[in-house]
Amino acid sequence: MSDGNQDHHQQFLRAFTTHEPAVRAFVRRLVPTRADADDILQEVAIVLWEKYEEFHEGEDFKAWACGIARYKVLSWLRDKGRDRLVLNTEVVELIAKESLRDESQLHQQRIALESCLEKVPPADRYLLAQAYQSDAKIQDIAETSGRSVGGFYQWLYRMRQMLLDCIHRNIAQESSI
């Protein structure tokens, strides 16, 4: 690979890996399942790479990627149109517009959450992560933590409340700067 191609490839990878979580979240809000979102995101990544020559430095990569993702979702909906579980394209367009509008706020909240999670002791952070795994069994996690199921739910509620308060404080501090 020539240096120019390698630089181009690295620029794409940096931009894509930076914005992939936001694009994934955008797609996930528009389709019924994670598996559907994963399939669509793979297609989006291919199109982004193929069309990266058309992207101009200084433009908003995330907005460009979400625009391509929107078209991929609409194409997917057209293909799945016979399925009664798929949303109407006008509804998807509305959700897409609202999602893009809300993305900066969601990004700010994600950053605040990451900052707040860093303040949580590692053992508690581990328990929180376990509780939110898709195959989580609260009874097992509660037992591991030395709490009853009810006690674990109370602890989880307090942790969520503490994180929410921390997020609000962080965002308020950012707004006042």
Side-chain angles (χ1 to χ4, degrees):
M1 191 183 292
S2 73
D3 285 345
N5 284 342
Q6 190 171 0
D7 288 346
H8 181 72
H9 187 218
Q10 288 176 352
Q11 288 171 346
F12 172 79
L13 285 175
R14 276 191 201 97
F16 183 72
T17 55
T18 298
H19 297 290
E20 186 270 340
V23 176
R24 177 179 298 279
F26 174 76
V27 170
R28 182 64 186 102
R29 288 190 291 267
L30 301 176
V31 297
T33 70
R34 277 184 169 71
D36 294 333
D38 290 343
D39 292 346
I40 292 168
L41 195 64
Q42 286 178 358
E43 295 299 316
V44 169
I46 291 168
V47 172
L48 290 173
W49 174 246
E50 290 172 347
K51 293 186 176 278
Y52 191 63
E53 293 288 332
E54 299 171 20
F55 180 76
H56 301 289
E57 193 172 330
E59 289 182 2
D60 185 347
F61 185 89
K62 181 171 60 174
W64 179 66
C66 285
I68 289 173
R70 186 174 129 252
Y71 286 113
K72 278 294 179 188
V73 167
L74 291 172
S75 173
W76 179 86
L77 286 171
R78 228 180 357 265
D79 294 345
K80 299 284 185 181
R82 293 177 289 294
D83 189 342
R84 284 180 276 153
L85 298 176
V86 175
L87 294 173
N88 176 305
T89 55
E90 286 105 29
V91 173
V92 169
E93 286 283 355
L94 180 63
I95 293 169
K97 285 178 187 171
E98 297 223 354
S99 292
L100 286 174
R101 189 190 72 226
D102 295 340
E103 183 55 39
S104 68
Q105 180 182 3
L106 293 171
H107 177 71
Q108 189 179 23
Q109 289 171 346
R110 279 191 295 270
I111 289 172
L113 175 60
E114 288 171 10
S115 172
C116 293
L117 279 170
E118 288 175 8
K119 298 172 186 171
V120 173
D124 288 345
R125 201 173 331 139
Y126 174 79
L127 288 174
L128 280 168
Q130 292 300 307
Y132 286 99
Q133 295 295 317
S134 60
D135 58 348
K137 291 186 175 41
I138 296 298
Q139 185 171 1
D140 295 341
I141 300 167
E143 188 177 307
T144 301
S145 74
R147 295 175 178 90
S148 67
V149 171
F152 186 77
Y153 275 117
Q154 288 175 349
W155 174 84
L156 195 56
Y157 173 80
R158 286 191 306 273
M159 291 301 292
R160 284 194 299 244
Q161 196 60 49
M162 184 266 311
L163 287 169
L164 184 60
D165 292 344
C166 179
I167 290 167
H168 288 300
R169 280 192 309 276
N170 283 4
I171 291 173
Q173 286 173 348
E174 285 293 318
S175 304
S176 67
I177 294 176

